Amino acid sequence: MLEEAHPVLRQDPVMAELVDRHDPYVEPNWNEYERLCISIINQQLSTASAAAVRERVFELLDDTVTPETVLAADEAALRDAGLSRSKVAYVRNAARAFQENDYTREGLAAYSNDEVIDALTEIKGIGAWTARMYLLFVLERPDVLPLGDLAVRRGIETLYGNGEELIRAEMREIAEPWRPYRSVATRYIWAEYES
């Protein structure tokens, strides 16, 4: 997808610079359920806090983060690892949903992006932002623009608005030329934002 995206993204001079300056943001090869748990952990936390909590939770579960291990884990231990009471409930809701339905790439292959968002947001604790992160990182859909993500918004404002606040409609307009590779463009924006 990267190689196909570059000619499209390079038509935008700002994006062309990012392509030359960065490797796109890539995550470790987490499984579907792990990635969903990480998105839940990341909700409303700074990057550093979220990384510390994730590390402690994964350590508690001996790096075996599955619906079964999360449901079997002691709630107090999960809380001690840094999960709030509500986030413990959310990762457990997701665990039960994963046991009942197929949220893997294969299981959701026939679903449109909107249908995936609808299916995931039926799980209590999964909102639109988390569902879009799932589309982008787990399902690797090529054309996701997660404007609910603060880093993406700040990145676009810095790169295209001289740091001035932009409304989402303006951001969507800026991102229009990146179609059908807005996911790839988003990864470059994250790479710039984190550098």
Side-chain angles (χ1 to χ4, degrees), residues 53-78:
V53 172
R54 181 188 71 228
E55 228 168 84
R56 290 194 301 268
V57 169
F58 276 52
E59 196 175 297
L60 172 71
L61 301 172
D62 293 324
D63 284 324
T64 306
V65 181
T66 65
E68 294 69 30
T69 61
V70 167
L71 290 170
D74 179 64
E75 181 171 347
L78 288 169

PDB file of all heavy atoms in Angstrom, residues 53-78:
ATOM      1  N   VAL A  53       1.057   2.204  31.320  1.00  0.00           N
ATOM      2  CA  VAL A  53      -0.053   1.331  31.724  1.00  0.00           C
ATOM      3  C   VAL A  53      -0.064   0.075  30.859  1.00  0.00           C
ATOM      4  O   VAL A  53      -0.192  -1.046  31.367  1.00  0.00           O
ATOM      5  CB  VAL A  53      -1.405   2.076  31.665  1.00  0.00           C
ATOM      6  CG1 VAL A  53      -2.570   1.119  31.892  1.00  0.00           C
ATOM      7  CG2 VAL A  53      -1.443   3.216  32.672  1.00  0.00           C
ATOM      8  N   ARG A  54       0.096   0.267  29.545  1.00  0.00           N
ATOM      9  CA  ARG A  54       0.114  -0.889  28.640  1.00  0.00           C
ATOM     10  C   ARG A  54       1.204  -1.871  29.056  1.00  0.00           C
ATOM     11  O   ARG A  54       0.973  -3.081  29.126  1.00  0.00           O
ATOM     12  CB  ARG A  54       0.344  -0.431  27.197  1.00  0.00           C
ATOM     13  CG  ARG A  54       0.348  -1.599  26.204  1.00  0.00           C
ATOM     14  CD  ARG A  54       0.770  -1.191  24.818  1.00  0.00           C
ATOM     15  NE  ARG A  54       2.193  -0.888  24.789  1.00  0.00           N
ATOM     16  CZ  ARG A  54       2.731   0.191  24.254  1.00  0.00           C
ATOM     17  NH1 ARG A  54       1.986   1.104  23.694  1.00  0.00           N
ATOM     18  NH2 ARG A  54       4.030   0.368  24.273  1.00  0.00           N
ATOM     19  N   GLU A  55       2.395  -1.355  29.333  1.00  0.00           N
ATOM     20  CA  GLU A  55       3.507  -2.215  29.731  1.00  0.00           C
ATOM     21  C   GLU A  55       3.169  -3.028  30.983  1.00  0.00           C
ATOM     22  O   GLU A  55       3.421  -4.225  31.044  1.00  0.00           O
ATOM     23  CB  GLU A  55       4.740  -1.348  30.008  1.00  0.00           C
ATOM     24  CG  GLU A  55       5.995  -1.850  29.338  1.00  0.00           C
ATOM     25  CD  GLU A  55       7.099  -0.802  29.414  1.00  0.00           C
ATOM     26  OE1 GLU A  55       7.782  -0.775  30.460  1.00  0.00           O
ATOM     27  OE2 GLU A  55       7.249  -0.036  28.446  1.00  0.00           O
ATOM     28  N   ARG A  56       2.593  -2.354  31.972  1.00  0.00           N
ATOM     29  CA  ARG A  56       2.256  -3.042  33.228  1.00  0.00           C
ATOM     30  C   ARG A  56       1.164  -4.082  33.027  1.00  0.00           C
ATOM     31  O   ARG A  56       1.226  -5.174  33.589  1.00  0.00           O
ATOM     32  CB  ARG A  56       1.846  -2.025  34.302  1.00  0.00           C
ATOM     33  CG  ARG A  56       3.007  -1.180  34.800  1.00  0.00           C
ATOM     34  CD  ARG A  56       2.669  -0.427  36.079  1.00  0.00           C
ATOM     35  NE  ARG A  56       1.529   0.467  35.939  1.00  0.00           N
ATOM     36  CZ  ARG A  56       1.602   1.759  35.611  1.00  0.00           C
ATOM     37  NH1 ARG A  56       2.781   2.327  35.372  1.00  0.00           N
ATOM     38  NH2 ARG A  56       0.510   2.492  35.516  1.00  0.00           N
ATOM     39  N   VAL A  57       0.156  -3.754  32.210  1.00  0.00           N
ATOM     40  CA  VAL A  57      -0.939  -4.702  31.954  1.00  0.00           C
ATOM     41  C   VAL A  57      -0.403  -5.922  31.198  1.00  0.00           C
ATOM     42  O   VAL A  57      -0.694  -7.066  31.556  1.00  0.00           O
ATOM     43  CB  VAL A  57      -2.102  -4.029  31.186  1.00  0.00           C
ATOM     44  CG1 VAL A  57      -3.107  -5.059  30.687  1.00  0.00           C
ATOM     45  CG2 VAL A  57      -2.781  -2.982  32.067  1.00  0.00           C
ATOM     46  N   PHE A  58       0.417  -5.686  30.162  1.00  0.00           N
ATOM     47  CA  PHE A  58       0.971  -6.797  29.393  1.00  0.00           C
ATOM     48  C   PHE A  58       1.862  -7.671  30.281  1.00  0.00           C
ATOM     49  O   PHE A  58       1.841  -8.888  30.177  1.00  0.00           O
ATOM     50  CB  PHE A  58       1.750  -6.285  28.173  1.00  0.00           C
ATOM     51  CG  PHE A  58       0.880  -5.998  26.968  1.00  0.00           C
ATOM     52  CD1 PHE A  58      -0.245  -5.185  27.058  1.00  0.00           C
ATOM     53  CD2 PHE A  58       1.195  -6.542  25.739  1.00  0.00           C
ATOM     54  CE1 PHE A  58      -1.036  -4.923  25.953  1.00  0.00           C
ATOM     55  CE2 PHE A  58       0.405  -6.286  24.619  1.00  0.00           C
ATOM     56  CZ  PHE A  58      -0.722  -5.478  24.725  1.00  0.00           C
ATOM     57  N   GLU A  59       2.628  -7.018  31.152  1.00  0.00           N
ATOM     58  CA  GLU A  59       3.503  -7.762  32.074  1.00  0.00           C
ATOM     59  C   GLU A  59       2.667  -8.620  33.017  1.00  0.00           C
ATOM     60  O   GLU A  59       2.973  -9.789  33.244  1.00  0.00           O
ATOM     61  CB  GLU A  59       4.348  -6.765  32.870  1.00  0.00           C
ATOM     62  CG  GLU A  59       5.545  -7.381  33.561  1.00  0.00           C
ATOM     63  CD  GLU A  59       6.392  -6.291  34.213  1.00  0.00           C
ATOM     64  OE1 GLU A  59       6.918  -5.424  33.473  1.00  0.00           O
ATOM     65  OE2 GLU A  59       6.492  -6.312  35.453  1.00  0.00           O
ATOM     66  N   LEU A  60       1.611  -8.063  33.566  1.00  0.00           N
ATOM     67  CA  LEU A  60       0.708  -8.794  34.457  1.00  0.00           C
ATOM     68  C   LEU A  60       0.171 -10.052  33.773  1.00  0.00           C
ATOM     69  O   LEU A  60       0.020 -11.100  34.404  1.00  0.00           O
ATOM     70  CB  LEU A  60      -0.458  -7.882  34.877  1.00  0.00           C
ATOM     71  CG  LEU A  60      -1.596  -8.538  35.667  1.00  0.00           C
ATOM     72  CD1 LEU A  60      -1.128  -8.893  37.071  1.00  0.00           C
ATOM     73  CD2 LEU A  60      -2.802  -7.606  35.720  1.00  0.00           C
ATOM     74  N   LEU A  61      -0.098  -9.926  32.476  1.00  0.00           N
ATOM     75  CA  LEU A  61      -0.683 -11.050  31.719  1.00  0.00           C
ATOM     76  C   LEU A  61       0.396 -11.880  31.019  1.00  0.00           C
ATOM     77  O   LEU A  61       0.080 -12.661  30.116  1.00  0.00           O
ATOM     78  CB  LEU A  61      -1.701 -10.521  30.708  1.00  0.00           C
ATOM     79  CG  LEU A  61      -2.873  -9.731  31.312  1.00  0.00           C
ATOM     80  CD1 LEU A  61      -3.712  -9.094  30.225  1.00  0.00           C
ATOM     81  CD2 LEU A  61      -3.722 -10.615  32.220  1.00  0.00           C
ATOM     82  N   ASP A  62       1.658 -11.731  31.448  1.00  0.00           N
ATOM     83  CA  ASP A  62       2.792 -12.465  30.846  1.00  0.00           C
ATOM     84  C   ASP A  62       2.827 -12.319  29.328  1.00  0.00           C
ATOM     85  O   ASP A  62       3.089 -13.294  28.605  1.00  0.00           O
ATOM     86  CB  ASP A  62       2.743 -13.955  31.221  1.00  0.00           C
ATOM     87  CG  ASP A  62       2.989 -14.177  32.706  1.00  0.00           C
ATOM     88  OD1 ASP A  62       3.803 -13.428  33.285  1.00  0.00           O
ATOM     89  OD2 ASP A  62       2.347 -15.085  33.278  1.00  0.00           O
ATOM     90  N   ASP A  63       2.511 -11.109  28.839  1.00  0.00           N
ATOM     91  CA  ASP A  63       2.496 -10.816  27.398  1.00  0.00           C
ATOM     92  C   ASP A  63       1.570 -11.733  26.606  1.00  0.00           C
ATOM     93  O   ASP A  63       1.742 -11.913  25.400  1.00  0.00           O
ATOM     94  CB  ASP A  63       3.920 -10.848  26.813  1.00  0.00           C
ATOM     95  CG  ASP A  63       4.697  -9.599  27.187  1.00  0.00           C
ATOM     96  OD1 ASP A  63       4.071  -8.518  27.238  1.00  0.00           O
ATOM     97  OD2 ASP A  63       5.908  -9.700  27.437  1.00  0.00           O
ATOM     98  N   THR A  64       0.600 -12.322  27.279  1.00  0.00           N
ATOM     99  CA  THR A  64      -0.417 -13.136  26.612  1.00  0.00           C
ATOM    100  C   THR A  64      -1.752 -12.440  26.842  1.00  0.00           C
ATOM    101  O   THR A  64      -2.467 -12.741  27.802  1.00  0.00           O
ATOM    102  CB  THR A  64      -0.435 -14.578  27.167  1.00  0.00           C
ATOM    103  OG1 THR A  64       0.884 -15.105  27.079  1.00  0.00           O
ATOM    104  CG2 THR A  64      -1.374 -15.466  26.373  1.00  0.00           C
ATOM    105  N   VAL A  65      -2.032 -11.467  25.984  1.00  0.00           N
ATOM    106  CA  VAL A  65      -3.244 -10.662  26.138  1.00  0.00           C
ATOM    107  C   VAL A  65      -4.306 -11.238  25.209  1.00  0.00           C
ATOM    108  O   VAL A  65      -4.311 -10.999  24.005  1.00  0.00           O
ATOM    109  CB  VAL A  65      -2.963  -9.174  25.833  1.00  0.00           C
ATOM    110  CG1 VAL A  65      -4.226  -8.338  26.013  1.00  0.00           C
ATOM    111  CG2 VAL A  65      -1.842  -8.664  26.730  1.00  0.00           C
ATOM    112  N   THR A  66      -5.171 -12.057  25.800  1.00  0.00           N
ATOM    113  CA  THR A  66      -6.255 -12.699  25.058  1.00  0.00           C
ATOM    114  C   THR A  66      -7.549 -12.465  25.823  1.00  0.00           C
ATOM    115  O   THR A  66      -7.510 -12.110  27.010  1.00  0.00           O
ATOM    116  CB  THR A  66      -6.024 -14.224  24.940  1.00  0.00           C
ATOM    117  OG1 THR A  66      -6.087 -14.790  26.255  1.00  0.00           O
ATOM    118  CG2 THR A  66      -4.682 -14.555  24.286  1.00  0.00           C
ATOM    119  N   PRO A  67      -8.687 -12.681  25.177  1.00  0.00           N
ATOM    120  CA  PRO A  67      -9.945 -12.567  25.933  1.00  0.00           C
ATOM    121  C   PRO A  67      -9.918 -13.440  27.193  1.00  0.00           C
ATOM    122  O   PRO A  67     -10.360 -13.012  28.262  1.00  0.00           O
ATOM    123  CB  PRO A  67     -10.998 -13.031  24.925  1.00  0.00           C
ATOM    124  CG  PRO A  67     -10.420 -12.638  23.593  1.00  0.00           C
ATOM    125  CD  PRO A  67      -8.939 -12.898  23.738  1.00  0.00           C
ATOM    126  N   GLU A  68      -9.355 -14.632  27.064  1.00  0.00           N
ATOM    127  CA  GLU A  68      -9.345 -15.570  28.192  1.00  0.00           C
ATOM    128  C   GLU A  68      -8.485 -15.052  29.350  1.00  0.00           C
ATOM    129  O   GLU A  68      -8.896 -15.101  30.510  1.00  0.00           O
ATOM    130  CB  GLU A  68      -8.850 -16.951  27.729  1.00  0.00           C
ATOM    131  CG  GLU A  68      -9.778 -17.653  26.740  1.00  0.00           C
ATOM    132  CD  GLU A  68      -9.848 -17.013  25.342  1.00  0.00           C
ATOM    133  OE1 GLU A  68      -8.838 -16.409  24.901  1.00  0.00           O
ATOM    134  OE2 GLU A  68     -10.922 -17.094  24.710  1.00  0.00           O
ATOM    135  N   THR A  69      -7.270 -14.550  29.036  1.00  0.00           N
ATOM    136  CA  THR A  69      -6.389 -14.092  30.122  1.00  0.00           C
ATOM    137  C   THR A  69      -6.933 -12.840  30.793  1.00  0.00           C
ATOM    138  O   THR A  69      -6.798 -12.672  32.003  1.00  0.00           O
ATOM    139  CB  THR A  69      -4.943 -13.820  29.624  1.00  0.00           C
ATOM    140  OG1 THR A  69      -4.956 -12.785  28.631  1.00  0.00           O
ATOM    141  CG2 THR A  69      -4.285 -15.077  29.076  1.00  0.00           C
ATOM    142  N   VAL A  70      -7.575 -11.970  30.005  1.00  0.00           N
ATOM    143  CA  VAL A  70      -8.143 -10.744  30.586  1.00  0.00           C
ATOM    144  C   VAL A  70      -9.324 -11.085  31.486  1.00  0.00           C
ATOM    145  O   VAL A  70      -9.463 -10.547  32.587  1.00  0.00           O
ATOM    146  CB  VAL A  70      -8.529  -9.733  29.481  1.00  0.00           C
ATOM    147  CG1 VAL A  70      -9.399  -8.616  30.035  1.00  0.00           C
ATOM    148  CG2 VAL A  70      -7.266  -9.164  28.847  1.00  0.00           C
ATOM    149  N   LEU A  71     -10.175 -12.008  31.046  1.00  0.00           N
ATOM    150  CA  LEU A  71     -11.329 -12.387  31.862  1.00  0.00           C
ATOM    151  C   LEU A  71     -10.900 -13.131  33.127  1.00  0.00           C
ATOM    152  O   LEU A  71     -11.548 -13.023  34.167  1.00  0.00           O
ATOM    153  CB  LEU A  71     -12.316 -13.217  31.040  1.00  0.00           C
ATOM    154  CG  LEU A  71     -13.060 -12.440  29.946  1.00  0.00           C
ATOM    155  CD1 LEU A  71     -13.823 -13.379  29.030  1.00  0.00           C
ATOM    156  CD2 LEU A  71     -13.986 -11.386  30.543  1.00  0.00           C
ATOM    157  N   ALA A  72      -9.790 -13.862  33.046  1.00  0.00           N
ATOM    158  CA  ALA A  72      -9.304 -14.628  34.204  1.00  0.00           C
ATOM    159  C   ALA A  72      -8.496 -13.773  35.183  1.00  0.00           C
ATOM    160  O   ALA A  72      -8.330 -14.153  36.345  1.00  0.00           O
ATOM    161  CB  ALA A  72      -8.449 -15.805  33.714  1.00  0.00           C
ATOM    162  N   ALA A  73      -7.992 -12.637  34.722  1.00  0.00           N
ATOM    163  CA  ALA A  73      -7.125 -11.796  35.564  1.00  0.00           C
ATOM    164  C   ALA A  73      -7.903 -11.215  36.741  1.00  0.00           C
ATOM    165  O   ALA A  73      -9.100 -10.912  36.642  1.00  0.00           O
ATOM    166  CB  ALA A  73      -6.524 -10.671  34.725  1.00  0.00           C
ATOM    167  N   ASP A  74      -7.195 -11.046  37.841  1.00  0.00           N
ATOM    168  CA  ASP A  74      -7.769 -10.445  39.040  1.00  0.00           C
ATOM    169  C   ASP A  74      -8.040  -8.956  38.786  1.00  0.00           C
ATOM    170  O   ASP A  74      -7.151  -8.237  38.316  1.00  0.00           O
ATOM    171  CB  ASP A  74      -6.776 -10.622  40.198  1.00  0.00           C
ATOM    172  CG  ASP A  74      -7.295 -10.011  41.475  1.00  0.00           C
ATOM    173  OD1 ASP A  74      -8.325 -10.492  41.978  1.00  0.00           O
ATOM    174  OD2 ASP A  74      -6.667  -9.035  41.949  1.00  0.00           O
ATOM    175  N   GLU A  75      -9.248  -8.518  39.088  1.00  0.00           N
ATOM    176  CA  GLU A  75      -9.610  -7.115  38.825  1.00  0.00           C
ATOM    177  C   GLU A  75      -8.705  -6.152  39.586  1.00  0.00           C
ATOM    178  O   GLU A  75      -8.252  -5.144  39.037  1.00  0.00           O
ATOM    179  CB  GLU A  75     -11.073  -6.834  39.179  1.00  0.00           C
ATOM    180  CG  GLU A  75     -11.427  -5.386  38.886  1.00  0.00           C
ATOM    181  CD  GLU A  75     -12.907  -5.063  38.991  1.00  0.00           C
ATOM    182  OE1 GLU A  75     -13.732  -5.992  39.055  1.00  0.00           O
ATOM    183  OE2 GLU A  75     -13.226  -3.866  38.976  1.00  0.00           O
ATOM    184  N   ALA A  76      -8.407  -6.473  40.849  1.00  0.00           N
ATOM    185  CA  ALA A  76      -7.547  -5.589  41.649  1.00  0.00           C
ATOM    186  C   ALA A  76      -6.157  -5.485  41.024  1.00  0.00           C
ATOM    187  O   ALA A  76      -5.553  -4.407  41.016  1.00  0.00           O
ATOM    188  CB  ALA A  76      -7.454  -6.099  43.082  1.00  0.00           C
ATOM    189  N   ALA A  77      -5.657  -6.591  40.476  1.00  0.00           N
ATOM    190  CA  ALA A  77      -4.330  -6.577  39.835  1.00  0.00           C
ATOM    191  C   ALA A  77      -4.360  -5.706  38.580  1.00  0.00           C
ATOM    192  O   ALA A  77      -3.414  -4.958  38.310  1.00  0.00           O
ATOM    193  CB  ALA A  77      -3.889  -7.999  39.503  1.00  0.00           C
ATOM    194  N   LEU A  78      -5.440  -5.789  37.814  1.00  0.00           N
ATOM    195  CA  LEU A  78      -5.580  -4.943  36.620  1.00  0.00           C
ATOM    196  C   LEU A  78      -5.650  -3.471  37.031  1.00  0.00           C
ATOM    197  O   LEU A  78      -5.053  -2.614  36.386  1.00  0.00           O
ATOM    198  CB  LEU A  78      -6.823  -5.337  35.817  1.00  0.00           C
ATOM    199  CG  LEU A  78      -6.754  -6.665  35.061  1.00  0.00           C
ATOM    200  CD1 LEU A  78      -8.132  -7.069  34.534  1.00  0.00           C
ATOM    201  CD2 LEU A  78      -5.745  -6.604  33.923  1.00  0.00           C
TER     202      LEU A  78
END
